[in-house]
Amino acid sequence: MKKSLVLTTIALSTLLSGTLAQAKDEFGTITGPLMGQTPPGMTAEPFAPGIVSKAGWELEGVFAPGMQEFYFTLDRGVYEGPNKTGFRPTVIGFRQQNNTWVKFTEFLRTGEVSFSPDGQRMHMAEGYRDRLGNGWTERQSLGPMFDREDWGIMRLSASSKGTYVFDDYKNEVVRISKLKDGQRQAPKVMSKVVNSGAMTAHPFIAPDESYLIWDSEREDGFGDSDLYISFKQQDGSWGKAINMGAAVNSDKWDAYATVTPDGKYLLFNRGVSDDNKNVDVYWVDASIIDILRAKQ
């Protein structure tokens, strides 16, 4: 082996060891399924307290299909880029290896992370990354149908049928785009079932399209933004918007729901402080969805 290659190998090994040591110092050693957490009951509780949910801004927790990867977003502090906003939302990715969760990636957030049901695509607003070996491609645009100056997509959720549901903070609406005969259809604003109230955002569509969850400020809410659910009806329409109730919602900001790929848990954001500078990831048993379905 050439000397330069040996030195490069040593340098990479040292860098990797340093990165793993830094991650261990920041997050500790995490073992067992579900990021080492005991499953929640029927009332929402913080997810991974002291690891993910701390006294700061941590949110957008999501497991990738297969339940072997977990991603969430935190604020890394002053952003030194051209805008210098003083805010640097950063995605942290963990992967389970030999029963231990290892931080394997960290990148600036450019759209809220969600996954295609097959796990091969990471959606990030109007962009995406595809799986490539043990990693991901660079972020690419979904094209001019979605990548528009007059829209502000935060989160895009995809079903197994290829349907996209996404929000738009510039216009405060949720839109839907279906595939028909393999062709992407122009996005349409969803009905008043979804687009009522204020700050309607962060939709999640079930892989089989049997339900849709989103957050909104409405008169029947608990105070701030609440999580709502609508179930697909036999005629293909969306049923009435149902507040997900006190087991999920609070008088704080509750938003950005996602159901784990195994269908067992619902994760979402909750503002712990009134100014939302302290936001945590919460979770609850997803069987609450079946209870609400029975009551619709």
Side-chain angles (χ1 to χ4, degrees):
M1 186 180 290
K2 293 182 179 180
K3 183 178 180 180
S4 59
L5 181 57
V6 171
L7 291 175
T8 300
T9 302
I10 293 173
L12 288 173
S13 177
T14 302
L15 178 61
L16 178 60
S17 298
T19 301
L20 293 176
Q22 184 180 17
K24 184 177 180 181
D25 289 343
E26 183 175 8
F27 300 104
T29 300
I30 309 167
T31 59
L34 300 171
M35 287 283 287
Q37 303 306 298
T38 301
M42 298 302 294
T43 300
E45 59 188 66
F47 176 79
I51 300 172
V52 173
S53 297
K54 301 180 181 180
W57 194 83
E58 306 92 19
L59 69 172
E60 298 162 14
V62 57
F63 282 92
M67 303 295 290
Q68 301 298 303
E69 292 178 1
F70 176 78
Y71 298 78
F72 77 103
T73 300
L74 50 71
D75 180 12
R76 280 298 194 202
V78 177
Y79 173 53
E80 295 298 338
N83 297 321
K84 294 187 178 180
T85 62
F87 175 57
R88 192 174 141 208
T90 303
V91 177
I92 308 295
F94 289 88
R95 179 175 289 153
Q96 192 175 26
Q97 300 175 352
N98 299 321
N99 203 42
T100 299
W101 291 87
V102 177
K103 175 189 160 189
F104 78 102
T105 188
E106 176 173 333
F107 52 90
L108 286 176
R109 185 187 69 179
T110 50
E112 297 166 354
V113 170
S114 68
F115 292 94
S116 60
D118 64 6
Q120 295 305 301
R121 176 162 290 186
M122 175 192 290
H123 286 285
M124 307 166 71
E126 69 280 357
Y128 67 93
R129 301 170 73 181
D130 284 335
R131 282 204 183 272
L132 182 64
N134 289 325
W136 298 92
T137 62
E138 293 299 314
R139 186 177 184 271
Q140 303 173 64
S141 172
L142 284 171
M145 188 179 289
F146 300 91
D147 201 345
R148 298 172 42 158
E149 282 294 325
D150 56 334
W151 288 1
I153 300 175
M154 295 182 289
R155 187 201 206 180
L156 183 148
S157 176
S159 76
S160 295
K161 298 177 182 178
T163 296
Y164 291 165
V165 181
F166 58 95
D167 55 13
D168 172 7
Y169 72 86
K170 292 182 179 180
N171 298 283
E172 290 193 22
V173 295
V174 169
R175 293 183 173 88
I176 187 168
S177 170
K178 298 181 179 181
L179 278 179
K180 184 177 181 180
D181 299 325
Q183 297 297 312
R184 175 63 56 192
Q185 303 298 295
K188 297 180 179 180
V189 175
M190 297 193 73
S191 73
K192 290 295 184 181
V193 167
V194 177
N195 288 306
S196 296
M199 304 301 291
T200 301
H202 312 114
F204 172 84
I205 190 168
D208 64 358
E209 301 188 8
S210 61
Y211 61 83
L212 180 73
I213 304 175
W214 71 97
D215 46 90
S216 185
E217 295 179 8
R218 299 191 179 198
E219 291 184 358
D220 66 345
F222 286 74
D224 204 312
S225 185
D226 282 358
L227 292 170
Y228 289 83
I229 188 169
S230 171
F231 294 98
K232 182 72 72 67
Q233 305 299 295
Q234 288 186 351
D235 63 1
S237 66
W238 292 102
K240 66 179 181 179
I242 303 171
N243 187 294
M244 296 194 74
V248 175
N249 292 311
S250 68
D251 61 351
K252 306 294 186 182
W253 178 67
D254 297 296
Y256 192 86
T258 181
V259 176
T260 53
D262 61 6
K264 294 181 178 180
Y265 312 105
L266 173 77
L267 285 84
F268 63 96
N269 303 339
R270 174 173 292 173
V272 179
S273 61
D274 290 335
D275 59 5
N276 282 344
K277 290 184 178 179
N278 183 3
V279 178
D280 286 340
V281 177
Y282 273 64
W283 64 335
V284 67
D285 193 308
S287 61
I288 193 168
I289 293 173
D290 296 323
I291 294 172
L292 292 170
R293 192 196 310 270
K295 292 181 177 180
Q296 69 172 316

